[in-house]
Amino acid sequence: MDAAQLQPRRKPEGPGGEPRMGRPPLSERRKAAARLEIAKAAVDLFTAKGVEGTSVGEIAEAVGISTRTLWRYFPSKEECVAPLLAFGAERLSRRLGDWAVGRPLIEALDDDLWLGDSDPSTLRVVLDLMRLTRTEPGLQSVWMRKTFDALPVVADAFAERAGKPVADMEARVQAGMLLSALHLALREYAWREPGEEGPELDEMLREAARIVIRGLPF
């Protein structure tokens, strides 16, 4: 999912301007699936060869498309990883929106709000990408920018819970705190030294979220 899909919530419109309900059109889902496939292939190549040692042509070849087609999806090879950074925030905002408004958000820490039905293969690649950000500043830059791009979506979810028509500064700060906390937990888990023991990822995400949610009014 790209940055355009991480803008504040708007109902897609049909041909006559009426709200379009249901799942995104098939073409959009196919594009999203293609972007994610490219992202996974890019991370695997970056892990094996480094960003500098990997060409755009190699990424394209890994997913069976032309270099020209890949450029239609992404402006640079570093940007190829963007879908892996965007899907988590979109998924989080959707689940926050589905959580009953009258039910304290802290109770969600015992639910599957954070990892839940995450695809294991996708999660593995996300962790590989986070490890790469430790030594690849270009990927770290993309990660930080995508986290910032995701903020309006999560802020909308907080505004909705607070009964506000639009996300204000308070909702944006709350969203920023939660995204930063989850990012930090993911990074600390991924950056462990080989053989280093510690809590499992879901435990770390829950604890990071708990620290933030304790200070929220809902």
Side-chain angles (χ1 to χ4, degrees), residues 7 23 31 36 42 48 57 70 82 90 100-101 112 120 127 130 136 138 144 148 159 172 181 198-199 209:
Q7 297 305 308
R23 303 177 68 184
K31 288 178 182 178
L36 187 59
L70 189 143
E90 190 277 339
V101 173
D112 64 349
L127 290 172
M130 179 55 81
E136 298 283 0
M144 297 304 295
F148 183 80
R172 290 192 291 272

Side-chain angles (χ1 to χ4, degrees), residues 47-102:
T47 299
K49 306 178 63 175
V51 174
E52 187 174 351
T54 301
S55 70
V56 172
E58 288 173 314
I59 299 172
E61 182 179 4
V63 294
I65 61 175
S66 67
T67 301
R68 183 175 180 179
T69 299
L70 189 143
W71 285 129
R72 294 175 185 167
Y73 285 106
F74 303 105
S76 70
K77 61 183 177 182
E78 290 85 359
E79 285 288 334
C80 287
V81 305
L84 289 166
L85 311 178
F87 88 98
E90 190 277 339
R91 179 178 179 278
L92 172 62
S93 66
R94 185 175 65 250
R95 291 191 167 225
L96 286 172
D98 291 341
W99 192 255
V101 173

Side-chain angles (χ1 to χ4, degrees), residues 28 133 135 142 144 179 199:
E28 292 181 15
T133 64
T135 56
V142 174
M144 297 304 295
L179 286 170

Side-chain angles (χ1 to χ4, degrees), residues 2-217:
D2 57 26
Q5 294 168 292
L6 282 176
Q7 297 305 308
R9 296 174 185 168
R10 291 183 59 185
K11 297 290 186 183
E13 295 183 350
E18 73 280 2
R20 179 188 292 155
M21 306 303 290
R23 303 177 68 184
L26 182 59
S27 60
E28 292 181 15
R29 287 184 310 211
R30 284 176 174 168
K31 288 178 182 178
R35 291 188 184 99
L36 187 59
E37 183 182 4
I38 293 169
K40 291 180 177 181
V43 171
D44 286 342
L45 286 166
F46 292 161
T47 299
K49 306 178 63 175
V51 174
E52 187 174 351
T54 301
S55 70
V56 172
E58 288 173 314
I59 299 172
E61 182 179 4
V63 294
I65 61 175
S66 67
T67 301
R68 183 175 180 179
T69 299
L70 189 143
W71 285 129
R72 294 175 185 167
Y73 285 106
F74 303 105
S76 70
K77 61 183 177 182
E78 290 85 359
E79 285 288 334
C80 287
V81 305
L84 289 166
L85 311 178
F87 88 98
E90 190 277 339
R91 179 178 179 278
L92 172 62
S93 66
R94 185 175 65 250
R95 291 191 167 225
L96 286 172
D98 291 341
W99 192 255
V101 173
R103 188 177 179 188
L105 189 57
I106 199 163
E107 292 182 9
L109 296 174
D110 297 321
D111 191 68
D112 64 349
L113 186 68
W114 316 111
L115 288 179
D117 57 2
S118 296
D119 174 41
S121 66
T122 300
L123 182 57
R124 187 271 302 172
V125 180
V126 169
L127 290 172
D128 286 345
L129 174 56
M130 179 55 81
R131 295 183 186 102
L132 285 167
T133 64
R134 194 171 191 173
T135 56
E136 298 283 0
L139 298 183
Q140 186 175 62
S141 176
V142 174
W143 187 294
M144 297 304 295
R145 181 166 51 78
K146 284 298 176 180
T147 299
F148 183 80
D149 289 346
L151 192 148
V153 181
V154 180
D156 278 354
F158 278 128
E160 183 178 344
R161 294 194 64 78
K164 300 174 182 177
V166 295
D168 55 9
M169 175 66 79
E170 183 178 22
R172 290 192 291 272
V173 169
Q174 291 166 347
M177 289 190 301
L178 181 57
L179 286 170
S180 296
L182 296 175
H183 176 214
L184 180 61
L186 184 61
R187 187 182 70 177
E188 290 197 2
Y189 179 86
W191 286 14
R192 285 178 184 168
E193 297 298 331
E196 181 180 349
E197 296 183 356
E200 293 299 321
L201 177 58
D202 60 341
E203 296 176 45
M204 295 182 69
L205 291 173
R206 285 189 176 92
E207 180 57 25
R210 182 177 289 108
I211 292 170
V212 174
I213 291 173
R214 281 177 186 149
L216 296 179

